[in-house]
Amino acid sequence: MSATQHAATPKLQSVEKEPYYQPIGGEIALFESAHRRRLPVLLKGPTGCGKTRFVEYMAWRLKRPLVTVACHDDLTTADLVGRYLIIGNETVWVDGPLTAAVRAGALCYLDEIVEARKDTTVVIHPLADARRILAVDKRGELVAAPDDFMLVVSYNPGYQSVLKEIKPSTRQRFVALEFDYPEAAVEAGIVATEGNVDAETARRLVKLGELTRNLKGAGLDEGASTRLLVHAAQLISDGVLPATACTAAVARALTDDPDMTGTLDDLVRAVF
Amino acid sequence: MSSRRLFSDELEQRLDEVLFASPSHRSAKNIADGLERLTRVQQELVLHWISVAAQTYAEIGYQVASLAPKALDRLDTAGFEAWVLAGLDAYDRKGGQLAMTLLRDLDGFCAAREHASAAARLAEVETRLSRFLQGLSGRPLALGAGQVAHTDTESVFLPAQLATLPSAADNRRLYKATAALLWAQTRYGTFGTAAIDVEATLARWVDRERALRWFAALEAVRLEAVIGAELPGLAAEMAALRGPWPEALGEAVLRLGRPDTAVSHSLTFLADCMAGEGEPPPLPHVGAIDLDAVLRVRAARIARESETVRRALSTLKGFGGRQGAGEDAPAVNVEGGKVEFSLDGELAALPPEAQAAAQSLLQDLGEVPPECLVPAGPGAWQPTERVVGEGGGENALTSHREPHRRYDEWDYRRRAYRRGWCHLFEVDLKPGDPDYVAKVSLRNTALIRQIRRRFEMLRGEDRLLGRQPEGEEVDIDALVEARADAASGAEPSARLFCRRIRNERSLAAMFMVDMSGSTQGWVNDAEREALVMLCEALETLGDAYAIYGFSGWTRTRCDIYPVKRFDEKYDATVRGRVAAIEAKDYTRMGVAIRHLTRLLDAQPARHKLLVSLSDGRPDDFGDEYRGHYGIEDTRRALQEAHERGVRSFCITIDRHGADYLQRLYGPARYAVLDDAKKLPLKVADLYRRLAT
Ligand SMILES: Nc1ncnc2c1ncn2[C@@H]1O[C@H](COP(=O)(O)OP(=O)(O)OP(=O)(O)O)[C@@H](O)[C@H]1O
Ligand SMILES: [Mg+2]
């Protein structure tokens, strides 16, 4: 097998239109600073609190293409770095998303990093420290990351279990930004904008969110995320009755436990 | 059984058997005479329940026996059983005196049962309601049974049964509305703030009770409006349940029915109401206000939480070390209902429990009390308030520790759970001989080597799947073949890759080890050696596992001894604890199974296994848990585990070829060893069969 021609690299997403993002604290400035200083960033926070949206927004703001990889436990090094394919009579190398992002100086976002296998996570180590290089072992190539390249990973500490822990050697390479559900008024603004509902409906949805978050650890693993509230708002703006929308988008999405479902129905009814 | 009625003397004899604790001055004769006229079926029913009751408390047995004829005149079989059960339940919850009163009040019981179909019971709605309250409040609010609905600001008490409204569904809604109103009292300042002293205002009236009743009604009006602003659905439901406001409250509704009112408005208007002679109109969802209980609980909480906040603030840099507060006192900002502390202009984050305490103080007082901001003297801060060295418990019978959890227990005679009956404590083991494990290992080198080899073969390993359409490696064989195919003009296969597939063992195993007194001696030795073998096997296999010992002394002291928690490594500490496993007290198995099932349930593994090592039947101090009761409760606990997806395996050492095991371990699988010495040899082997 002699031929090792470059197949077209995977298409990179470039964020053309400004995504709607409501800043919560100083996260934008901090992220920009990390980018300037070529430091990788770790986003921590519960599900559906705006991490992905934030990265999209930052890609737009920094005018960098964005490569997103959702990590899972079958994700191999080859899935990230690249592999040979055989096309017709030739073996063709195809860059994986990580390599492609490095070459293009993009933002590479590894979502839910803890889901990836431990041996996969280590390929990012040389990329995430001062060396900023990616080893493409199969080709014997070392790809140096251009200044614009930035590695962003996310993880949700709430799910942290014995099996899913981020190793200190991985963790300590990143600048950590902590996310949480925003304050009621801010969150209501997000729900109103994203879900296209009036301010009062948004306020009540956020109230419902708050009530369910009080149940975290008392029957629920997690309270309703901003995402769920946005979903409910979208159903409402489509004409679904508020209580029905909340039951479907929030209550049923949070649990299967019949007792808990009853409680959530009560809470929905209390708010609407 | 023949259907012939029993005569008085026969009954007397039977009664003597079941009322075993018969004090001499009492004779079963009168009771027997009373029972003579019943049918045989009724007689047998009564005798059965007398014996059940007497096993709980002899006096209740007598009470049931003497009232049975009257009760059966008015109640059918189910009603009669419900009456006895209600008495036993009252005994569990409130003691003998109240149980007797309840049983004697047959009229009351029958009346309640009349519309029992329309009644709602607290037990039915308890879980859902307490979570509802938890959802509403940031601050935890417990739920309990009480004669009248009221709150002491830490618990909400509701009647065990509600039959005010015509249908059960309405009564369930009434529970919710009543509870929500009580929650609102604690949340929206009914009991005053630092600035408003409710007690002082109420002291103006001699007839304090009447004033409290009016106060409760006025607050109901005010709070419904306040709730309406945040939770309109809930307010609407309350309004629907109470119907239109009674005329006597018309003025109150005008004055207080607005969302921006405070308790001071209610107190002002209260004077008008008390000027008249009248009573407030009854409202279905309005309970009582027990101001004395509230003030007591509240004062204790405020003191406790102030201390917590003060201590937490003392640890903040630049504050703790100094003597006087002076200009270095932290600034408090409570805008927007959230407490924020800052020191020298910088936001200071408190530990979560201190933050919660500050938040709770704000709810009680409308402010964070200034005393909190005064630093504690040097050395006042203790990182933990817990008393160390409380484990073991020589005098534990008299100790007043708070249990970590309470668990229900199954009473087969009642065919019902006794709520929160067992008090469970997790107790630390004092480390034993540090060399114990090494010594055992040395003695069993060959066996351990064999175990390791066997379990190594079972370990989940990555597999390479060939001939895949994609994968991380080229499958050379497939490629060569494809090339050859192509050269010869045949269609080459596109499946040219290898793919790594993980062979994951997703299993968590929990080992529950009997530490009761009966294991004293070589059973205990065998258990410890068996654990050494097991740990070797499990370490090789890489499964998640935990080990807990259990023992105890009556239902109020069920002890669980963590030997190895799931998140602990098999290290020197754990080895020390294995060595420390020793024979202690009794074997109340059900509660241990329930607790460990709970822990196991929290594990992320797909398969969950509970393995118990014990030496015979469940047993506890006093007669109760011995025999049938313990067997049935254990069986029930295993069933519950099964329903939660936990598979159980019980290993018993019993030389007497136990006949009760079939019943005991019904829902689980089990193995009996006739000789403890076989346990270490067998246990790894049993595990292998279970877990592969
Ligand atoms: N600050 C915000 N600005 C704008 N929209 C937001 C913001 N926070 C949350 N959202 C809304 O919430 C939704 C969920 O956010 P997102 O998908 O970014 O969550 P996430 O943190 O990435 O969650 P996960 O961990 O589950 O991937 C978004 O689609 C958006 O509608
Ligand atoms: Mg995301």
Side-chain angles (χ1 to χ4, degrees):
Chain A
M1 282 162 287
S2 56
T4 54
Q5 154 200 340
H6 249 90
T9 49
K11 267 225 350 242
L12 302 182
Q13 176 197 356
S14 64
V15 187
E16 318 249 292
K17 206 171 136 265
E18 174 176 357
Y20 163 68
Y21 179 72
Q22 166 67 51
I24 310 296
E27 74 272 25
I28 295 179
L30 209 54
F31 192 98
E32 281 180 336
S33 191
H35 186 250
R36 270 196 302 280
R37 289 289 157 194
R38 298 184 292 282
L39 297 171
V41 164
L42 164 73
L43 308 180
K44 286 203 270 188
T47 183
C49 68
K51 300 185 293 292
T52 301
R53 179 62 62 89
F54 174 63
V55 176
E56 284 170 0
Y57 174 78
M58 290 313 296
W60 172 83
R61 205 175 149 101
L62 297 168
K63 306 204 172 44
R64 302 314 310 159
L66 175 63
V67 176
T68 303
V69 182
C71 299
H72 52 83
D73 57 2
D74 267 347
L75 188 81
T76 60
T77 312
D79 291 333
L80 280 180
V81 175
R83 58 166 50 95
Y84 282 108
L85 292 183
I86 295 178
I87 296 175
N89 258 343
E90 296 196 276
T91 58
V92 178
W93 173 261
V94 181
D95 279 344
L98 183 59
T99 314
V102 173
R103 290 194 210 279
L107 294 192
C108 183
Y109 179 40
L110 304 180
D111 205 353
E112 284 298 345
I113 182 91
V114 282
E115 298 290 339
R117 308 165 40 142
K118 297 258 150 51
D119 55 325
T120 307
T121 347
V122 294
V123 304
I124 67 168
H125 281 194
L127 199 54
D129 57 29
R131 293 171 282 173
R132 288 177 59 86
I133 46 169
L134 175 66
V136 184
D137 286 342
K138 291 249 172 64
R139 283 163 57 89
E141 189 185 355
L142 283 181
V143 187
D147 285 355
D148 272 333
F149 170 79
M150 183 174 187
L151 186 63
V152 184
V153 302
S154 77
Y155 101 112
N156 178 347
Y159 296 149
Q160 213 178 55
S161 69
V162 210
L163 299 179
K164 303 243 164 88
E165 251 170 22
I166 190 159
K167 285 196 305 188
S169 60
T170 304
R171 182 186 190 120
Q172 293 201 11
R173 290 177 144 76
F174 292 86
V175 172
L177 296 190
E178 181 134 20
F179 280 67
D180 205 345
Y181 305 122
E183 251 174 59
V186 177
E187 192 171 26
I190 296 171
V191 172
T193 311
E194 283 280 293
N196 195 22
V197 291
D198 60 87
E200 174 59 18
T201 309
R203 196 180 69 88
R204 291 201 198 175
L205 284 168
V206 169
K207 181 78 201 174
L208 175 63
E210 232 170 75
L211 300 184
T212 62
R213 287 167 204 165
N214 284 338
L215 285 169
K216 180 172 173 176
L220 285 184
D221 297 332
E222 293 274 351
S225 61
T226 309
R227 177 190 298 123
L228 287 190
L229 303 180
V230 168
H231 288 175
Q234 286 169 341
L235 292 180
I236 293 171
S237 92
D238 200 51
V240 179
L241 284 175
T244 317
C246 289
T247 307
V250 181
R252 295 300 184 275
L254 285 176
T255 182
D256 296 322
D257 171 2
D259 262 346
M260 200 62 222
T261 313
T263 302
L264 290 174
D265 287 349
D266 288 344
L267 293 176
V268 168
R269 239 175 280 131
V271 175
F272 285 99
Chain B
M1 184 179 77
S2 98
S3 60
R4 177 183 70 76
R5 287 181 191 190
L6 298 174
F7 297 119
S8 180
D9 51 341
E10 293 169 303
L11 282 163
E12 199 179 331
Q13 193 186 342
R14 293 275 300 272
L15 282 167
D16 278 340
E17 286 164 20
V18 292
L19 293 171
F20 42 83
S22 162
S24 53
H25 66 271
R26 250 191 281 226
S27 130
K29 179 83 177 91
N30 289 344
I31 298 174
D33 288 346
L35 296 179
E36 205 179 30
R37 66 177 168 89
L38 300 178
T39 68
R40 178 64 182 271
V41 175
Q42 286 177 322
Q43 287 174 336
E44 290 295 339
L45 175 76
V46 172
L47 284 168
H48 168 75
W49 283 104
I50 293 172
S51 96
V52 169
Q55 280 169 58
T56 299
Y57 183 44
E59 289 297 319
I60 299 188
Y62 275 105
Q63 188 73 262
V64 166
S66 50
L67 288 171
K70 253 199 247 160
L72 278 170
D73 287 343
R74 307 179 53 179
L75 294 163
D76 58 3
T77 307
F80 178 79
E81 287 182 350
W83 171 68
V84 181
L85 280 173
L88 290 173
D89 211 46
Y91 175 75
D92 288 352
R93 287 173 187 261
K94 303 179 203 134
Q97 209 53 41
L98 279 162
M100 295 305 190
T101 314
L102 185 140
L103 286 171
R104 248 178 262 128
D105 182 19
L106 254 178
D107 287 342
F109 183 83
C110 293
R113 203 170 159 78
E114 286 274 282
H115 46 218
S117 56
R121 294 191 311 120
L122 183 58
E124 300 162 357
V125 294
E126 207 170 351
T127 322
R128 180 164 168 174
L129 205 53
S130 73
R131 282 176 173 164
F132 180 66
L133 287 177
Q134 168 97 35
L136 290 181
S137 53
R139 189 162 75 183
L141 204 52
L143 193 62
Q147 293 284 349
V148 275
H150 72 283
T151 178
D152 65 7
T153 71
E154 264 165 33
S155 299
V156 157
F157 299 97
L158 296 169
Q161 180 164 308
L162 271 187
T164 317
L165 297 174
S167 83
D170 280 343
N171 283 315
R172 276 196 291 274
R173 238 171 278 140
L174 185 57
Y175 261 125
K176 190 166 82 174
T178 311
L181 193 58
L182 293 171
W183 159 74
Q185 289 179 353
T186 70
R187 177 70 185 78
Y188 298 113
T190 295
F191 308 116
T193 60
I196 304 173
D197 188 342
V198 175
E199 171 64 29
T201 312
L202 281 160
R204 289 167 49 195
W205 293 289
V206 192
D207 192 350
R208 183 184 171 84
E209 291 308 311
R210 190 168 75 99
L212 281 172
R213 284 193 291 275
W214 268 110
F215 184 45
L218 297 183
E219 279 293 278
V221 173
R222 179 182 79 87
L223 291 172
E224 191 177 304
V226 175
I227 292 172
E230 288 273 290
L231 303 165
L234 184 57
E237 201 170 343
M238 288 172 144
L241 275 173
R242 66 165 157 75
W245 289 114
E247 222 166 283
L249 288 175
E251 183 63 21
V253 173
L254 283 180
R255 302 256 297 256
L256 302 171
R258 285 179 287 114
D260 55 349
T261 48
V263 69
S264 51
H265 297 96
S266 294
L267 290 172
T268 311
F269 188 61
L270 180 58
D272 293 8
C273 304
M274 289 303 287
E277 290 290 298
E279 278 287 325
L283 290 164
H285 65 308
V286 176
I289 290 183
D290 183 346
L291 197 58
D292 301 328
V294 166
L295 294 177
R296 194 169 354 98
V297 169
R298 186 165 172 265
R301 179 177 55 243
I302 289 172
R304 197 171 63 231
E305 287 174 341
S306 298
E307 187 56 18
T308 307
V309 172
R310 200 167 63 104
R311 283 174 179 222
L313 284 172
S314 316
T315 59
L316 291 178
K317 233 177 101 202
F319 182 48
R322 308 213 181 146
Q323 286 298 327
E327 57 221 27
D328 291 306
V332 194
N333 178 12
V334 296
E335 254 167 60
K338 258 194 93 176
V339 185
E340 273 175 4
F341 294 96
S342 46
L343 253 181
D344 297 333
E346 263 192 58
L347 225 52
L350 296 192
E353 75 275 7
Q355 180 65 38
Q359 207 61 46
S360 168
L361 284 168
L362 180 66
Q363 184 173 329
D364 276 330
L365 297 171
E367 62 173 31
V368 175
E371 326 59 290
C372 295
L373 309 180
V374 181
W381 168 256
Q382 300 281 316
T384 140
E385 292 179 41
R386 244 161 254 132
V387 188
V388 259
E390 222 203 338
E394 276 68 43
N395 56 358
L397 261 182
T398 52
S399 86
H400 297 289
R401 300 173 294 166
E402 254 306 291
H404 288 109
R405 274 205 100 72
R406 289 164 198 248
Y407 284 93
D408 296 350
E409 187 168 276
W410 178 252
D411 183 344
Y412 79 100
R413 298 165 308 203
R414 306 187 192 177
R415 276 171 271 119
Y417 284 99
R418 302 177 114 178
R419 295 270 171 173
W421 192 242
C422 296
H423 299 193
L424 183 115
F425 300 88
E426 275 200 21
V427 182
D428 287 338
L429 277 172
K430 297 205 183 69
D433 176 8
D435 295 330
Y436 171 78
V437 170
K439 281 186 243 160
V440 173
S441 306
L442 204 62
R443 235 184 305 126
N444 295 285
T445 323
L447 180 59
I448 287 176
R449 199 178 308 129
Q450 188 195 340
I451 289 174
R452 283 212 192 117
R453 219 177 17 246
R454 271 215 216 127
F455 280 84
E456 237 148 37
M457 285 169 14
L458 301 171
R459 192 163 48 196
E461 259 161 6
D462 287 357
R463 267 181 309 142
L464 211 51
L465 279 187
R467 294 177 195 281
Q468 298 297 304
E470 58 165 46
E472 60 264 52
E473 259 154 11
V474 175
D475 182 342
I476 296 292
D477 292 345
L479 185 61
V480 170
E481 223 171 86
R483 287 250 145 178
D485 284 347
S488 66
E491 171 86 279
S493 162
R495 304 173 74 91
L496 303 172
F497 294 89
C498 298
R499 203 172 160 73
R500 228 165 253 287
I501 296 285
R502 189 150 47 150
N503 238 350
E504 203 182 4
R505 293 177 51 81
S506 182
L507 184 113
M510 168 69 82
F511 294 90
M512 168 174 146
V513 185
D514 189 346
M515 286 170 57
S516 62
S518 56
T519 62
Q520 181 89 48
W522 36 276
V523 173
N524 185 252
D525 289 343
E527 279 180 343
R528 289 190 293 164
E529 286 200 15
L531 287 180
V532 176
M533 305 301 151
L534 263 176
C535 290
E536 283 297 339
L538 286 150
E539 288 295 318
T540 313
L541 206 49
D543 286 353
Y545 70 107
I547 304 169
Y548 286 79
F550 72 100
S551 177
W553 191 314
T554 77
R555 69 176 181 94
T556 55
R557 217 205 76 193
C558 306
D559 290 342
I560 283 273
Y561 301 88
V563 175
K564 178 187 171 301
R565 299 189 176 85
F566 276 112
D567 58 4
E568 288 181 297
K569 291 218 166 51
Y570 181 48
D571 55 15
T573 315
V574 170
R575 292 198 185 100
R577 294 198 207 120
V578 170
I581 290 176
E582 54 171 321
K584 296 202 185 265
D585 310 68
Y586 289 88
T587 336
R588 208 171 186 107
M589 263 181 107
V591 56
I593 294 171
R594 289 186 180 97
H595 183 64
L596 298 184
T597 299
R598 229 187 109 78
L599 298 181
L600 203 45
D601 211 29
Q603 284 298 303
R606 201 157 356 120
H607 307 286
K608 292 163 190 177
L609 189 61
L610 174 74
V611 181
S612 75
L613 305 181
S614 69
D615 78 333
R617 62 172 84 211
D619 185 12
D620 201 347
F621 182 73
D623 280 326
E624 189 178 62
Y625 207 77
R626 195 161 294 167
H628 233 49
Y629 184 104
I631 289 177
E632 291 301 320
D633 176 55
T634 305
R635 179 186 163 84
R636 189 77 177 192
L638 289 168
Q639 223 157 41
E640 290 162 28
H642 192 90
E643 279 160 19
R644 291 171 83 157
V646 170
R647 298 293 166 260
S648 322
F649 191 79
C650 307
I651 302 173
T652 303
I653 303 157
D654 193 329
R655 269 155 303 156
H656 314 299
D659 49 305
Y660 59 89
L661 286 172
Q662 181 73 41
R663 175 81 197 152
L664 178 64
Y665 294 144
R669 288 188 291 160
Y670 63 95
V672 190
L673 301 183
D674 54 2
D675 184 351
K677 293 202 191 73
K678 291 184 187 159
L679 187 63
L681 284 173
K682 277 278 184 120
V683 76
D685 222 39
L686 285 170
Y687 184 76
R688 191 171 62 95
R689 271 195 274 150
L690 281 171
T692 54

